[in-house]
Amino acid sequence: MESTLGAGIVIAETLQRQLPWLEDVWLWVTFLGDPKCIFFFYFPLAYYACRHVGISVFWITLLSEWLNLVFKWFLFGDRPFWWVHESGYYSEAPAQVHQFPVSCETGPGSPSGHCMITGAALWPIMIAASGQVAKRSRSHWMKLIPSLAYSTFLLAVGLSRIFILAHFPHQVLGGLIAGALLGWFMTPRVPVDRPVSFYGLTALALLLGASLIYWSLISLGVDMTWSIHLASKWCERPEWIHIETRPFASLSRDSGAALGLGIALHSPWYAQVRRVRLGILQQAVCLLLVLGLLGLLNWLGNPPQLSLFYIFNFLKFTLWPCLVTALVPWLVHSLSAQEAPPAKSK
């Protein structure tokens, strides 16, 4: 296994040494593959294009992120940026590889969350796009474009994670396979027209299930903070360690998102717009508004205390689906209806 991990460092070193001019591209790609980017960008973009696809993206994201958290707890994967120092494989850490501000994630590394969660979440978009292309073109090559774009993007995400020393190649490969399988399995099984209690119980199950696994592993003598200690020890700069990368940050995000989706889909604002088909201009306005609100939420920052951060993160992601699916569309539709000229009587 040591030689396999060493080969992964060689690949990362080759990418950094041979393609330094692509550094900004890799950093941008790893940002686009971040699970938070799915919640904040791909979800509203997909939702305003097709509501069912958007909800599918959101639902699959929160479930696959929870599964990724649990997988990481059991698989204990090292991350390259600390392994080169801790393993003893090198007498001296390779001078040719270096960290980046996004390298120092504090959770275990296997499987890659960027590849697994993004691969699963983008699957319904790829399927929907393939269906639309098939309706409009008989060309076999045109029909392959959505799946090729999906595969190319995920391959780029995987390479970017290797480049920044966040993952080894086998962790990326595991994430890609798991993500595609989850997307294929969950896309036809997204819940539709469920009561709000279903979403509340889902949120509770995510919280209690992860907590039960976490404390069970601790009772068995497993140190659940081992990766946090190693990340803190070997990250080049303390400010590169972000509170959002802690394992329970994703749990608070996913449970809040599940509850928020249920509240949104049973709100009076959603009831007024669920059967309304927004025009392209209205969809664009909705997207711009939610991105503006996202900027406001990010401007507020995060509380420095860990417990307060988890509560704030839970509330923020409970609010987010309400804004995207209910409040913003209702506001745009209401303003559009007021501005529309009255119909002339004959």
Side-chain angles (χ1 to χ4, degrees):
M1 190 62 186
E2 295 289 298
S3 59
T4 301
L5 299 182
I9 298 298
V10 171
I11 294 173
E13 184 179 5
T14 302
L15 288 172
Q16 290 190 5
R17 188 178 67 251
Q18 299 295 333
L19 302 172
W21 49 276
L22 283 179
E23 178 179 319
D24 289 339
V25 174
W26 294 130
L27 293 176
W28 182 244
V29 169
T30 207
F31 166 76
L32 292 176
D34 193 315
K36 292 193 298 294
C37 199
I38 303 172
F39 281 110
F40 287 140
F41 182 69
Y42 300 130
F43 160 54
L45 186 64
Y47 181 80
Y48 295 135
C50 174
R51 287 176 183 168
H52 179 71
V53 173
I55 291 174
S56 297
V57 169
F58 193 80
W59 182 256
I60 292 172
T61 300
L62 68 92
L63 288 186
S64 58
E65 187 170 46
W66 186 90
L67 287 171
N68 182 260
L69 172 65
V70 174
F71 287 167
K72 285 180 174 178
W73 282 345
F74 282 100
L75 295 178
F76 300 100
D78 284 301
R79 290 186 184 270
F81 77 89
W82 75 59
W83 182 84
V84 294
H85 303 283
E86 284 284 326
S87 64
Y89 187 76
Y90 302 96
S91 57
E92 186 176 328
Q96 296 295 326
V97 292
H98 60 278
Q99 299 174 18
F100 299 88
V102 291
S103 297
C104 302
E105 298 193 14
T106 58
S110 188
S112 166
H114 277 61
C115 294
M116 176 177 163
I117 300 162
T118 304
L122 295 186
W123 187 273
I125 296 179
M126 185 267 291
I127 293 298
S130 297
Q132 291 298 315
V133 171
K135 290 179 181 179
R136 290 168 169 76
S137 175
R138 295 183 179 180
S139 170
H140 177 70
W141 294 108
M142 288 294 293
K143 294 176 183 178
L144 289 177
I145 287 178
S147 57
L148 287 174
Y150 169 85
S151 302
T152 302
F153 176 66
L154 288 177
L155 177 61
V157 171
L159 289 173
S160 75
R161 303 302 287 166
I162 297 170
F163 179 87
I164 67 170
L165 299 183
H167 290 293
F168 290 100
H170 74 278
Q171 297 170 343
V172 165
L173 181 61
L176 292 173
I177 294 172
L181 290 175
L182 283 171
W184 168 79
F185 179 78
M186 290 196 288
T187 295
R189 295 171 176 83
V190 173
V192 179
D193 294 330
R194 298 295 182 90
V196 68
S197 59
F198 169 82
Y199 298 95
L201 290 173
T202 299
L204 185 62
L206 295 177
L207 277 173
L208 294 182
S211 299
L212 178 61
I213 294 170
Y214 181 85
W215 290 108
S216 296
L217 290 172
I218 287 180
S219 68
L220 293 173
V222 178
D223 179 9
M224 299 299 287
T225 62
W226 68 274
S227 62
I228 299 174
H229 295 319
L230 289 176
S232 302
K233 179 179 179 180
W234 293 113
C235 186
E236 288 183 6
R237 300 183 185 180
E239 64 268 21
W240 288 356
I241 296 180
H242 302 290
I243 196 171
E244 296 95 336
T245 67
R246 284 182 174 260
F248 275 92
S250 62
L251 178 59
S252 63
R253 175 165 60 232
D254 300 332
S255 54
L259 178 62
L261 183 61
I263 294 173
L265 297 181
H266 292 82
S267 67
W269 303 285
Y270 180 78
Q272 295 182 44
V273 296
R274 65 175 299 180
R275 302 194 184 280
V276 173
R277 186 173 181 83
L278 298 176
I280 294 178
L281 180 59
Q282 291 173 312
Q283 293 171 356
V285 171
C286 285
L287 184 60
L288 290 174
L289 276 177
V290 296
L291 292 179
L293 291 170
L294 169 62
L296 177 61
L297 288 174
N298 289 336
W299 176 77
L300 293 174
N302 294 316
Q305 296 88 353
L306 193 59
S307 57
L308 289 179
F309 164 73
Y310 289 146
I311 295 172
F312 177 78
N313 206 41
F314 178 90
L315 294 175
K316 180 167 69 174
F317 281 89
T318 301
L319 175 64
W320 185 245
C322 297
L323 292 173
V324 174
T325 65
L327 288 169
V328 168
W330 171 80
L331 177 63
V332 170
H333 175 66
S334 300
L335 293 176
S336 301
Q338 290 178 5
E339 291 177 2
K344 295 180 179 180
S345 57
K346 294 183 179 180

